[in-house]
Each structure stands twice: as structure tokens, then as C-alpha cells.
Amino acid sequence: MTLGQEEWRSHCLEASSAQNPAYRWALHFFEYALTMNDALIIQQPASAAQQLFMLFYGADAAPLLLLPLASRVAIAFPNALVVVCETPEQVPEFEQTVRHWQQISALSASQTALIGFSQGANMALAASQSVPVLAGRIVSHSGRFATLPLHIHTEITLHIIHGKVDAVMPYGECIEAAEHLKALGVDFTADIIPFVGHEMTDETMDLMIKNLQTHLPKRLWDAAMQAAATSA
């Protein structure tokens, strides 16, 4: 699904009229958004981008759903290329979409973050099994693994967020996944948010940004500890 600029601008104006600060910020970023290959370019730095953030929305949803989150990402990471994409239905097509934007931006997997909601989150989690590694950060909101992984590369950090009253994808699967990932020694965070259903809220979006900005990847911490032990 691709929205034309006029339709997208109309959505932004309508949302902005609701006096929602996040949507008003989004209008600032999206009024001149570009469309390319079934994606919306939300932010494109004047100079070479330093990071690539790809946001994927769920089945039967519209890009407007990710508008408040995309605005937060753009504000938090002003030197990043930020795009909102329709979620491909198959993993190979998902991988192809991500590598397409990595090629356009001349950015590597370690400079790429995938953020998915619902079906978009499911596909992002599935991409944690891609070889070679597809992205250094994967954020799942209201998503789940189709099959719990046997291994996740140490270059990948997962951030999992789930509403406790999600009636579409019960939060118990998130707990099961977290216990499994811990047993594997995976670098991840997992947060269950009370009173939140199958939806994004200001609380969950702010938590996503916080995790992306402040979480120190486990591999870097382990390297620092090893270096300290060696020099002791």
C-alpha cells in the first residue's frame, strides 16, 4: 500500500487537528514525505545518514498507525534515515526490502534498526534468523516468534514490548520467548506493560526510544569486562 502525498498530508492534518502533540510533530516531518517502493521516507538527512530505521506496520493497518512513533524516532535520531514500510508477507521479501534500503543508504546491518508492530513485529523477529545478519537492533511491539529460535547472532539486540491485555497476541508468548532467549544468552530486553492491549501508546513508544538510546549491547559490555580482566 502506498499513500500519495496529498492523501498522506490529509491524514496528518486530520490527526493534528485532534490536538495530539505526537501527531503535530508528525505533521512537521510528514508534510513533505516522499513515497518510494511502497515506503514512506519520513526523514532523510541532508548529509549521509548515520543510521537506518525501518518501521513496519501490521496486516490490514495503514502507515498512519506508525506516524507518532516515526516522529519520535526522527526527533531522537536526527542523523538517521527513517522509512515506514508495508510488511512483506514472506521472509525472503522482507529481507530483500531491508537490503534494498541498506543499499540505497550505504548503511550496514549494524547501522540498521527494524521496528515492527503486530505482523511487522513478527517478520522483524523472524529476520533475526537471517544470514548474514540483517540488522543490529530489532524491536518487536505486540509481536511473536512463529517458532522459538535455536540461536541468535551476538551482533543482534532484541527489544520486545507487549501489552498485558493484548487479546490478539496473548502476552504469555512474550514471557515464554523471554525465558527462552535468556537461556540462550541472547542480548535482549522484554517489557510487559499493564493495561495495554494490541496497540501502541505513548508509554510503549517512549520505552522503545529509551531502549534504543540507552541499552548497551551485551557484546560491548562483555568485551569491556574481558578487557578489564585481562589488564588486571
Side-chain angles (χ1 to χ4, degrees), residues 56-171:
F56 293 90
Y57 50 93
D60 301 322
L64 182 63
L65 174 70
L66 294 181
L67 189 153
L69 176 59
S71 69
R72 284 170 163 83
V73 172
I75 293 167
F77 302 93
N79 295 317
L81 173 61
V82 182
V83 296
V84 174
C85 302
E86 183 176 12
T87 304
E89 296 183 358
Q90 302 296 327
V91 173
E93 287 75 19
F94 186 91
E95 294 177 345
Q96 183 179 7
T97 298
V98 175
R99 298 200 191 283
H100 168 78
W101 283 98
Q102 289 173 337
Q103 183 177 13
I104 287 177
S105 61
L107 293 171
S108 65
S110 65
Q111 296 168 296
T112 301
L114 308 179
I115 303 174
F117 173 76
S118 191
Q119 177 63 16
N122 296 349
M123 294 302 292
L125 289 173
S128 67
Q129 302 299 289
S130 299
V131 179
V133 171
L134 195 62
R137 296 278 182 124
I138 294 176
V139 183
S140 165
H141 191 306
S142 305
R144 61 189 174 196
F145 287 101
T147 302
L148 292 176
L150 298 178
H151 171 77
I152 290 182
H153 200 284
T154 56
E155 292 181 11
I156 298 174
T157 298
L158 300 178
H159 299 295
I160 300 172
I161 297 175
H162 215 102
K164 192 170 185 178
V165 293
D166 188 336
V168 178
M169 297 185 188
Y171 79 96

